[in-house]
Amino acid sequence: MIKFAPETKKALLMQKKTLLGAGLIFVGSVFIPMAGYSQTQSKDIDLANEYYTRHDFEKSLELYDKLAKDPANGKAIYANYLAVLSELKQDEKTERFLKKMAKAYPQQFEYKIDLALLYQKQKKDDKANKIFSRLFEDIEKKSNIVEYTADYLVKVGLLDKAELLYKESRKAMFDPYAYNFKLAEIHKRRGETSQMIDELLLYLDKDPSAIFLIENSLQTQLTKPEELDMLQKTLYERVQTDASNLIYNELLMWLFLQRKDFDGAFIQAKAIDKRGKLPATKVLEVGTLSMSNKDYKSAVSIFEYVVQEYAAVPSVYAPAQRQLIEAREQAIKNVYPIDKQAIKALVEDYKKLMKILPDPYSMAESQRSIALLYGHYLGQPDTAIFYLNKAVTVPRYNRQFVSKCKLDLGDMYLLKNEPWEATLLYSQVEKDEKDQPLGYEAKLRNAKLSYYKGEFDLAQDHLDVLKLATSREIANDALDLSLMIQDNTAFDSTGAALAEYSKIELLLFENKDEEALAKCDELLKKYPKSSLDDEVYWLRAKVYRRMKKFDKAIENLDVISKDYASDIFADDALFMKGVIYEEDLQDKEKAMETYQNLMKTFPASIFTAEARKKYRILRGDFVN
């Protein structure tokens, strides 16, 4: 065991980036002298290195031998000289050189380590072990470079020696928590996942506030499903043996969230809130994350729990009730066909919520939600306009909310086939929210309105401005629509086919899916082999997916891949097909095959990076 003087123990914790003394800077395993060489020495080093680069080892050896007589030169030629000696099997000369360097610079332990490695190579294990034993004793004299020495041991593959050094140093310091991350890295390199997890959790025992640091380390180190399973098993064991320590529940919750297992995270969140006497803080956090990840079923269960358990706590109950209604709304909208009775029930839920949340802003938010349900799903735009007008008059202090309501009002007038009223409202928002995201959104809606009406030149005027919008999403939408108009009017100045296509898109805006699909069929027959064909098949695929008719969606995507492989939607089609297999049909193998096909066929596609990420997740990699 290494025995350190008391004054050196504290130094063991320091992670210095420079070695003091002798004017040396430590870079990797090479020490570069700061003092300059003579011109002759410099030229000899350059020439020797040149020979080495050319693999003319005999000539380089002749020069390196002369230079190595001065240990100061040995630092500059160290790596290349050793490589040449190894290549030419000059073990005796290597031994002499390493001994000379170790003697000249006794405080720099990599020379002794390399000498020990040479002895191991020569099967002289006694000599190697003797060096390592002395090395560990000598470290007392330079205790501040324990990590540097161990890092070098790791670099040359002596993981056992590095582990021993760290553990002996840990004992000498009387600190069982020292070097946790370094030891965890060694265990990871050896594939010892359980020991790696134990080291990281040991650090957490010392400092519970470091949970985010531990989470980041675990996320980096654990990349396979079986490793995550091992972490889960270990954490469950710790929860059972130390139920009062909520830190393990916190880690379990984090792990379930990483795996998008919101039900599992919910169970841990409940335990944390109950034992920590928190007002549903963690549970609401999990519910919100499940909503953002579109796991509406889990979100509904989570918010239902909060509403039931915290009915007597108004500050928790009321916002949870709203989140529950919103989760139910998203769940209902995600089912085709839309259940109108369920939509009506949601309207009543929002009306009840206005009684629970009587403050003006909450009432206005509920009125806006009611309006959108009436307008988009119950086919009652007049009722929607009534509620939106009420919402607009309440929160006068919130300009952005009023602007959102005006955009919604414009949509309702469009649904009523009153485009003039719609464009007036969109233009008001453009003016009120100039150079703001809502202002750009208003201009985009004006552009789409002109497009629906067949006024393609006017639409282009709006779109040309929007291509420079600060919002990437809006700029991309504007660019896509602009390109489509250009492509489909280039050889048809009348834009007749495009005008009919734009009316189909208006039908989809009005949620008239079946009618839109019928018009698509008519368009394909009326304008065979037109430049719009791939857009029509793309539109049909999106509608069929929304209708949960996944086979038909894939059928249309395959037409694009086969007959329009060089057109703009070819990579889009492959990516959507992969998503349908992955998310809708739960067919992991076909999803991976499709993503792989996309990466191979369209390596420069904007979807390639996301396809690669999805492929790795499906393969079982742990991807952040």
Side-chain angles (χ1 to χ4, degrees):
M1 174 175 167
I2 304 170
K3 295 182 179 179
F4 292 109
E7 63 271 15
T8 67
K9 290 176 182 175
K10 185 176 180 182
L12 273 164
L13 296 174
M14 299 175 65
Q15 299 183 28
K16 294 184 177 180
K17 301 300 180 186
T18 59
L19 281 176
L20 304 178
L24 301 173
I25 298 177
F26 184 58
V27 183
S29 64
V30 179
F31 291 86
I32 302 173
M34 297 173 70
Y37 294 107
S38 70
Q39 190 173 1
T40 301
Q41 287 175 317
S42 180
K43 286 182 178 179
D44 286 345
I45 291 172
D46 289 344
L47 183 57
N49 289 339
E50 179 67 23
Y51 284 136
Y52 171 76
T53 303
R54 295 178 183 176
H55 290 191
D56 193 341
F57 298 125
E58 295 289 350
K59 288 184 179 179
S60 63
L61 178 62
E62 184 179 346
L63 286 168
Y64 283 142
D65 282 343
K66 292 179 183 178
L67 289 163
K69 292 177 181 178
D70 182 353
N73 292 334
K75 294 174 176 294
I77 65 173
Y78 186 73
N80 287 0
Y81 188 30
L82 284 184
V84 169
L85 290 170
S86 176
E87 180 70 25
L88 299 178
K89 304 188 186 316
Q90 299 279 329
D91 286 356
E92 290 184 9
K93 192 176 289 186
T94 303
E95 181 179 357
R96 289 196 299 272
F97 173 63
L98 290 171
K99 283 182 176 179
K100 180 189 291 186
M101 295 299 292
K103 183 178 180 180
Y105 303 101
Q107 77 278 22
Q108 295 164 16
F109 300 121
E110 80 276 16
Y111 302 128
K112 295 176 183 177
I113 293 171
D114 284 343
L115 181 58
L117 283 171
L118 176 66
Y119 287 141
Q120 283 186 341
K121 174 187 171 185
Q122 296 172 337
K123 307 298 182 185
K124 299 176 181 178
D125 292 337
D126 290 343
K127 285 189 173 184
N129 291 335
K130 190 175 181 179
I131 289 176
F132 284 123
S133 296
R134 289 179 178 175
L135 173 68
F136 280 32
E137 293 172 3
D138 290 344
I139 285 177
E140 179 192 5
K141 301 170 186 177
K142 269 287 181 182
S143 57
N144 60 314
I145 61 168
V146 167
E147 287 195 30
Y148 293 123
T149 305
D151 282 346
Y152 191 75
L153 289 166
V154 169
K155 181 179 179 181
V156 297
L158 297 174
L159 300 180
D160 292 345
K161 300 295 183 185
E163 180 185 8
L164 179 61
L165 177 57
Y166 280 132
K167 288 186 174 179
E168 289 294 299
S169 300
R170 177 186 274 179
K171 289 178 185 177
M173 296 165 62
F174 302 103
D175 182 0
Y177 304 106
Y179 309 117
N180 294 106
F181 291 97
K182 291 291 186 178
L183 284 164
E185 182 182 346
I186 289 172
H187 289 308
K188 172 64 177 177
R189 284 172 177 264
R190 287 200 299 232
E192 299 167 349
T193 305
S194 179
Q195 294 93 318
M196 183 203 71
I197 291 170
D198 287 342
E199 280 293 343
L200 292 175
L201 295 183
L202 183 64
Y203 186 86
L204 199 57
D205 291 340
K206 171 191 175 184
D207 183 10
S209 67
I211 186 169
F212 296 115
L213 182 62
I214 297 302
E215 287 171 353
N216 287 336
S217 295
L218 289 169
Q219 192 169 40
T220 302
Q221 301 286 3
L222 304 181
T223 57
K224 299 176 181 177
E226 56 268 25
E227 293 174 342
L228 298 176
D229 292 340
M230 187 175 293
L231 173 61
Q232 184 173 318
K233 180 176 179 290
T234 302
L235 291 172
Y236 270 128
E237 290 171 352
R238 301 228 175 178
V239 166
Q240 290 170 358
T241 56
D242 189 5
S244 62
N245 193 347
L246 293 177
I247 202 71
Y248 300 125
N249 298 96
E250 288 266 12
L251 269 178
L252 270 171
M253 188 184 103
W254 167 82
L255 176 59
F256 284 125
L257 289 175
Q258 298 304 304
R259 305 181 94 170
K260 298 191 185 302
D261 181 353
F262 297 103
D263 292 332
F266 174 36
I267 293 170
Q268 298 306 316
K270 283 193 291 185
I272 295 167
D273 284 340
K274 282 185 177 180
R275 294 176 194 166
K277 297 181 180 179
L278 302 174
T281 305
K282 292 295 182 180
V283 171
L284 288 171
E285 179 185 330
V286 174
T288 302
L289 285 171
S290 64
M291 276 284 286
S292 62
N293 282 273
K294 299 182 180 180
D295 186 347
Y296 304 122
K297 182 180 178 181
S298 294
V300 168
S301 298
I302 293 167
F303 293 128
E304 280 179 344
Y305 163 82
V306 177
V307 167
Q308 292 169 4
E309 292 292 316
Y310 295 87
V313 186
S315 61
V316 176
Y317 173 78
Q321 183 70 42
R322 179 174 186 84
Q323 287 176 295
L324 173 58
I325 296 171
E326 289 174 353
R328 285 175 178 162
E329 180 177 344
Q330 292 303 321
I332 290 168
K333 289 178 179 178
N334 203 41
V335 175
Y336 192 91
I338 297 294
D339 185 343
K340 291 194 175 183
Q341 290 303 121
I343 294 291
K344 290 177 182 177
L346 279 174
V347 168
E348 294 305 314
D349 286 340
Y350 276 119
K351 289 179 179 178
K352 292 175 184 176
L353 185 64
M354 286 193 286
K355 296 177 182 178
I356 300 171
L357 298 170
D359 64 283
Y361 186 74
S362 297
M363 288 187 69
E365 286 279 6
S366 296
Q367 287 166 342
R368 179 174 179 241
S369 296
I370 290 170
L372 295 177
L373 291 173
Y374 271 120
H376 288 297
Y377 296 98
L378 295 178
Q380 299 179 38
D382 288 322
T383 307
I385 290 169
F386 168 78
Y387 276 101
L388 285 169
N389 281 328
K390 287 180 69 174
V392 166
T393 60
V394 177
R396 289 290 183 185
Y397 53 87
N398 192 315
R399 189 193 71 198
Q400 285 194 338
F401 180 79
V402 172
S403 294
K404 288 179 183 178
C405 289
K406 285 185 177 180
L407 288 178
D408 296 332
L409 277 167
D411 291 346
M412 296 308 133
Y413 280 112
L414 185 54
L415 290 174
K416 287 184 66 181
N417 197 25
E418 297 182 25
W420 178 245
E421 291 291 336
T423 195
L424 283 176
L425 286 158
Y426 296 152
S427 298
Q428 283 180 29
V429 178
E430 275 192 60
K431 181 179 178 182
D432 294 341
E433 304 288 342
K434 187 176 177 61
D435 296 328
Q436 298 298 317
L438 277 174
Y440 290 127
E441 176 62 33
K443 184 173 283 293
L444 181 60
R445 295 198 194 190
N446 255 329
K448 287 183 178 179
L449 179 55
S450 298
Y451 166 69
Y452 294 146
K453 292 163 63 179
E455 298 171 349
F456 301 128
D457 290 339
L458 183 55
Q460 281 286 24
D461 290 340
H462 290 295
L463 296 170
D464 287 341
V465 175
L466 287 171
K467 291 175 191 175
L468 304 176
T470 53
S471 166
R472 188 176 68 176
E473 184 177 354
I474 290 175
N476 287 342
D477 288 346
L479 181 61
D480 288 345
L481 183 55
S482 176
L483 288 173
M484 192 183 74
I485 292 173
Q486 291 176 30
D487 289 346
N488 293 287
T489 54
F491 301 104
D492 180 9
S493 58
T494 64
L498 184 60
E500 292 195 30
Y501 180 83
S502 68
K503 288 182 173 60
I504 294 173
E505 292 209 79
L506 180 58
L507 288 172
L508 292 176
F509 176 77
E510 296 169 346
N511 286 318
K512 297 176 180 178
D513 291 355
E514 296 287 358
E515 191 176 340
L517 287 171
K519 291 292 183 183
C520 283
D521 293 340
E522 292 177 15
L523 187 62
L524 288 171
K525 292 176 182 178
K526 187 175 181 179
Y527 299 97
K529 297 183 180 180
S530 79
S531 58
L532 271 166
D533 282 3
D534 57 332
E535 274 96 347
V536 175
Y537 285 111
W538 174 247
L539 192 66
R540 280 159 52 118
K542 291 194 295 183
V543 176
Y544 279 127
R545 187 188 178 203
R546 188 164 77 183
M547 296 170 71
K548 310 298 181 186
K549 296 181 179 180
F550 303 119
D551 290 342
K552 285 187 172 291
I554 291 173
E555 183 182 309
N556 280 269
L557 294 172
D558 285 342
V559 171
I560 296 173
S561 298
K562 180 182 177 182
D563 298 338
Y564 305 92
S566 60
D567 286 350
I568 191 170
F569 287 111
D571 56 337
D572 301 65
L574 268 179
F575 185 73
M576 182 190 279
K577 183 178 176 181
V579 171
I580 290 173
Y581 278 130
E582 178 189 2
E583 298 179 4
D584 301 321
L585 298 176
Q586 305 290 308
D587 191 330
K588 176 180 173 181
E589 296 303 320
K590 285 190 176 180
M592 291 178 66
E593 181 184 336
T594 306
Y595 290 137
Q596 198 169 33
N597 189 14
L598 171 63
M599 290 184 280
K600 181 181 178 181
T601 310
F602 300 100
S605 168
I606 60 171
F607 298 110
T608 299
E610 184 64 19
R612 182 176 292 108
K613 181 178 178 181
K614 285 178 169 289
Y615 178 85
R616 289 179 60 200
I617 292 172
L618 289 169
R619 187 174 61 186
D621 299 349
F622 189 35
V623 180
N624 183 13

